[in-house]
Amino acid sequence: MEDPELEALRRKRMEEVAAQQSSQAAKEEKAQQFEMQKQSILRQILTPEARDRLANIKLANPEQANMVEMQLIQIAQSGRLQSVITDAMLRDILQKIIPQQREIKIERR
């Protein structure tokens, strides 16, 4: 003795949940594809040592590493990159991109 309106509401809600799950899966798939493309480009433009350094930065500060990765990709795609980026070149780039932290000294009087 189910109410037809209640059954229609349940069906509608189940369809909404299924649509939401499929859209979320599509977003995750797009993000995964983007990450794979990004890693592929970085593999082409960075030496293994530079990739290791960037991976270490990503562990310490993911937002900063993502910013550096995107800037490196933009440089490569714009054609301003003449050769593969070595570890020394990456260190120079990082010093220019990442703001230097000020040293704070506390003096007790």
Side-chain angles (χ1 to χ4, degrees):
M1 306 284 177
E2 289 283 326
D3 186 17
E5 289 180 31
L6 181 60
E7 188 62 32
L9 286 173
R10 283 183 184 159
R11 222 177 303 117
K12 183 179 177 184
R13 179 66 181 140
M14 291 297 286
E15 289 172 359
E16 288 174 358
V17 168
Q20 187 179 27
Q21 288 175 346
S22 66
S23 69
Q24 187 176 22
K27 286 180 185 178
E28 288 175 6
E29 186 177 331
K30 279 186 179 182
Q32 187 178 17
Q33 287 178 348
F34 177 73
E35 187 65 29
M36 288 174 59
Q37 287 176 342
K38 188 167 76 167
Q39 292 304 320
S40 173
I41 293 170
L42 289 173
R43 245 183 262 111
Q44 292 173 1
I45 64 173
L46 295 173
T47 62
E49 295 83 18
R51 280 196 315 259
D52 288 343
R53 181 173 299 279
L54 197 55
N56 289 338
I57 293 170
K58 194 172 214 168
L59 288 174
N61 195 339
E63 297 88 23
Q64 216 167 39
N66 192 32
M67 179 186 69
V68 170
E69 288 174 348
M70 295 307 295
Q71 287 184 352
L72 290 174
I73 290 171
Q74 287 176 352
I75 291 170
Q77 288 178 341
S78 68
R80 294 185 290 167
L81 188 63
Q82 287 80 23
S83 65
V84 177
I85 297 176
T86 63
D87 186 46
M89 292 169 66
L90 181 63
R91 278 187 275 150
D92 291 340
I93 292 170
L94 289 172
Q95 285 179 350
K96 292 175 186 172
I97 293 175
I98 298 173
Q100 297 295 323
Q101 294 181 351
R102 288 188 256 167
E103 187 176 326
I104 299 173
K105 291 184 180 180
I106 298 174
E107 293 181 17
R108 295 183 183 213
R109 296 177 188 205

